[in-house]
Amino acid sequence: MDFKKIVQERRSIKYFDANHKMTKDEINELFKMTVLSPTAFNIQHWRFDVIENKELREQIKKISFNQSQVTDASLLVVISGDLDAWKKNPRKYWKNADENVQKMMESMITNFYINKKEMQRDEVMRSCSMAAMTMMLCAKNMGYDSCPMDGFDFPELSKLLNFPKNQIPVMFVAIGKKLQDAWPRGGQLHLNQVVNFRE
Ligand SMILES: Cc1cc2nc3c(=O)[nH]c(=O)nc-3n(C[C@H](O)[C@H](O)[C@H](O)COP(=O)(O)O)c2cc1C
């Protein structure tokens, strides 16, 4: 599919065909592409929970304003991030590099994040958002539609999925075959309102 078309035609879909199943190969392909998204220092804060269990989907739906995407999407991915990823043996994020590069990256990463709680959290949000967008565009390219979602009870979700304290939910990405088109676009702000050329 032409890339411009993928961007233009990706929309947030509310109703999916609950009977459609994605193949393991398709799901694998989607994740292989997703993890190529950029992250600061290549820290890859993202964690992906693929919710296959029907009962669990029903439970999640209850804490997600009963949004039907939760149960009807072929794939429901809960994207969360590890707040402590920066300090968990950061050399592993540069495993293909030389030893001296690994050492340098470790020191840069540590100095960048140490004692900066807000930055540690912001970075999780940035990394996971990058992944979500890649996932949605790749899904579109594979003939699927998607919906990014944060309409859920964050603390309740963490409880339901037994997330440790340092793992925070960021959003869901629901993927599947659409049953209904999205509403017409709400309307983009004019470029003049959002793009500022500083000459
Ligand atoms: C972080 C985020 C959270 C969102 N949460 C929901 C949600 O819980 N349910 C939903 O139906 N749409 C949700 N949306 C979709 C937005 O409503 C949608 O992206 C926006 O209206 C623009 O429409 P479009 O994505 O079709 O271009 C979310 C989008 C983002 C980026």
Side-chain angles (χ1 to χ4, degrees):
M1 201 172 170
D2 169 50
F3 187 70
K4 202 167 155 186
K5 236 175 140 153
I6 293 172
V7 174
Q8 286 168 335
E9 293 185 8
R10 182 223 50 84
R11 298 296 315 282
S12 296
I13 294 301
K14 315 285 176 203
Y15 301 103
F16 290 100
D17 177 356
N19 295 317
H20 182 83
K21 284 203 177 342
M22 287 176 78
T23 65
K24 287 274 176 212
D25 282 351
E26 285 176 319
I27 296 169
N28 206 25
E29 172 73 8
L30 198 57
F31 280 112
K32 266 164 62 185
M33 293 293 117
T34 298
V35 297
L36 297 180
S37 308
T39 55
F41 298 106
N42 200 36
I43 291 176
Q44 304 161 72
H45 308 77
W46 47 58
R47 303 292 178 261
F48 305 101
D49 283 87
V50 179
I51 313 298
E52 296 184 317
N53 183 286
K54 276 193 171 181
E55 178 58 32
L56 186 54
R57 288 242 203 155
E58 289 293 344
Q59 286 174 297
I60 295 175
K61 186 181 185 181
K62 282 194 192 130
I63 57 162
S64 308
F65 304 99
N66 276 318
Q67 296 190 80
S68 69
Q69 299 99 315
V70 172
T71 45
D72 296 352
S74 305
L75 195 68
L76 180 70
V77 184
V78 174
I79 307 184
S80 63
D82 184 351
L83 290 168
D84 294 336
W86 65 276
K87 62 179 171 187
K88 289 182 174 167
N89 179 24
R91 287 189 194 203
K92 68 173 177 276
Y93 308 125
W94 291 91
K95 63 179 185 203
N96 295 344
D98 292 343
E99 167 95 32
N100 56 333
V101 175
Q102 287 186 16
K103 248 170 126 173
M104 183 188 74
M105 293 311 294
E106 180 175 42
S107 138
M108 282 170 74
I109 290 171
T110 307
N111 290 334
F112 196 79
Y113 294 106
I114 198 161
N115 298 326
K116 290 188 203 143
K117 286 269 174 235
E118 200 176 334
M119 181 56 118
Q120 291 164 18
R121 188 186 157 91
D122 288 349
E123 217 73 305
V124 161
M125 294 296 163
R126 281 188 272 271
S127 297
C128 292
S129 302
M130 293 276 173
M133 194 71 225
T134 303
M135 190 175 269
M136 293 188 288
L137 294 177
C138 286
K140 190 75 201 167
N141 190 44
M142 293 164 68
Y144 286 103
D145 282 286
S146 61
C147 191
M149 302 174 71
D150 67 4
F152 58 89
D153 185 322
F154 281 60
E156 284 301 319
L157 182 86
S158 292
K159 264 196 238 161
L160 209 50
L161 300 185
N162 295 316
F163 281 166
K165 228 179 154 192
N166 60 0
Q167 188 175 351
I168 55 168
V170 175
M171 72 177 89
F172 303 161
V173 173
I175 293 173
K177 291 283 180 193
K178 69 177 170 188
L179 286 182
Q180 271 182 40
D181 286 335
W183 287 353
R185 282 191 187 277
Q188 312 314 114
L189 294 174
H190 195 279
L191 288 186
N192 288 344
Q193 293 170 282
V194 292
V195 183
N196 189 11
F197 290 99
R198 294 173 182 265
E199 291 167 359

